[in-house]
Amino acid sequence: MTNLLGSIRLAAYAFPLIAVLVAVPFFDRQVRARCFNWVRTVFGGLFLFYVLCVLAARLSGYEIQLVPFQFVADFLRETPLVLSDARTYLPALFDRTVLQVVCNILMLLPFGMYLRYVCGLDPVSYTHLTL
């Protein structure tokens, strides 16, 4: 957990400099074309911060897990959960394996919102597809 917070802190330190270097050309083009959009600018900044967090986490030694649902086996193996003892439920929910899955889901949320806003991907328009 401390590595994750360290990655976010590293991304927060690098964000202002990289944001200025990346945003100035786009900002200049939008102002000249008189099509500046604050919402798009904020989403772009959030996406840049998201990418920096992911890159910083990758540089700090995290490895990709390619086995589907491996987190379930990790949860059962590494948590102090005993099904017959209700006192172990709460510590098991705050265990590292559960927090890792929750943080991974939270890291994907900005990417999904960015794709929907910028690329126009709307899940409602795909409801007519059947398997």
Side-chain angles (χ1 to χ4, degrees):
M1 189 69 178
T2 59
N3 287 341
L4 182 62
L5 293 176
S7 300
I8 294 172
R9 189 176 303 122
L10 178 64
Y13 292 147
F15 177 73
L17 175 66
I18 295 174
V20 167
L21 293 174
V22 171
V24 166
F26 294 109
F27 181 75
D28 183 49
R29 187 181 66 114
Q30 287 182 350
V31 168
R32 288 179 192 232
R34 294 186 179 155
C35 65
F36 183 76
N37 187 348
W38 279 104
V39 175
R40 187 170 295 231
T41 303
V42 169
F43 269 101
L46 289 174
F47 184 69
L48 178 65
F49 185 72
Y50 164 76
V51 169
L52 287 174
C53 287
V54 171
L55 288 176
R58 180 70 182 136
L59 291 175
S60 65
Y62 285 103
E63 295 182 16
I64 299 172
Q65 178 58 261
L66 297 176
V67 179
F69 299 107
Q70 180 66 34
F71 70 91
V72 176
D74 292 341
F75 175 76
L76 294 174
R77 184 180 61 242
E78 296 179 15
T79 59
L81 178 68
V82 178
L83 292 176
S84 61
D85 188 7
R87 291 177 292 169
T88 62
Y89 292 174
L90 193 60
L93 284 177
F94 291 107
D95 193 59
R96 183 185 62 84
T97 55
V98 175
L99 291 176
Q100 181 180 8
V101 172
V102 169
C103 288
N104 285 339
I105 292 170
L106 290 176
M107 288 290 285
L108 286 175
L109 286 176
F111 184 62
M113 290 186 296
Y114 184 79
L115 282 178
R116 182 171 180 177
Y117 178 74
V118 174
C119 300
L121 297 176
D122 188 12
V124 176
S125 64
Y126 298 112
T127 57
H128 66 282
L129 299 175
T130 57
L131 299 176

